[in-house]
Amino acid sequence: MTKLLLGFYAEAPYGKKADTDEGRRQRDQVHAATERLNHQLNEAGAGRTLFVLGDYLQRAIAAEGRDRLREVLQPQNPLVELAQHTFNHVTIAPVPRRPDNQLVSPDVLRDEVTRTSTLIQTELGYDVVGLGAPLGYPGGIPESIAAD
């Protein structure tokens, strides 16, 4: 039997854009798509991981309320794992296709991870274990960074 691991990012919109009319429209579209996806995967009995960006979550809760985000992200659903995606979508390791991005220090990364995990736990009642690194690292995160 083949097993498939499904992961999706709950990250947009974030930053100042989230507070604009365009950002609100984007958030509505993302939430509607996430709800449709969750419905289909629930029907199929398929598990998935939702990687949540802290800034997105904080702004979405401020705009729509905690209960609405619980409906969208389904933290109580045994088929859903919530993992985090840092708070500000920071660059944590060199990305060859994005040489313009500045790396954050291990201390900043630690603060980003702690802040986001605390937010998810406080607002959604979910204890986060995993991290989806912003920008993706197909070769893996260098051990020197992961060890910190």
Side-chain angles (χ1 to χ4, degrees):
M1 173 173 27
T2 301
K3 290 189 179 187
L4 182 63
L5 175 63
L6 300 173
F8 304 94
Y9 288 87
E11 67 177 30
Y14 65 94
K16 292 178 184 177
K17 178 181 178 182
D19 299 327
T20 66
D21 287 340
E22 180 185 348
R24 284 185 277 284
R25 281 190 299 277
Q26 184 181 17
R27 184 172 44 247
D28 289 345
Q29 292 170 343
V30 167
H31 288 177
T34 302
E35 288 178 309
R36 286 190 306 272
L37 180 68
N38 276 334
H39 176 75
Q40 293 296 318
L41 294 174
N42 287 341
E43 291 285 314
R48 65 270 189 194
T49 301
L50 301 176
F51 297 95
V52 181
L53 187 72
D55 182 85
Y56 149 80
L57 180 62
Q58 183 173 288
R59 290 173 189 268
I61 288 172
E64 299 184 24
R66 179 186 304 161
D67 290 343
R68 175 69 179 122
L69 270 291
R70 286 181 176 164
E71 288 174 15
V72 172
L73 300 175
Q74 300 185 3
Q76 75 291 348
N77 184 338
L79 294 172
V80 171
E81 172 192 27
L82 295 182
Q84 68 143 298
H85 196 48
T86 73
F87 195 87
N88 292 300
H89 211 268
V90 296
T91 303
I92 65 175
V95 180
R97 69 182 187 284
R98 295 293 304 271
D100 56 313
N101 283 21
Q102 283 195 294
L103 304 182
V104 297
S105 70
D107 288 339
V108 169
L109 176 57
R110 207 173 351 271
D111 289 345
E112 289 263 331
V113 168
T114 299
R115 183 176 180 191
T116 304
S117 291
T118 299
L119 179 67
I120 293 170
Q121 206 298 312
T122 301
E123 298 294 343
L124 302 178
Y126 192 93
D127 291 323
V128 174
V129 175
L131 167 71
L135 302 177
Y137 299 91
I141 298 170
E143 195 171 316
S144 62
I145 294 168
D148 281 335

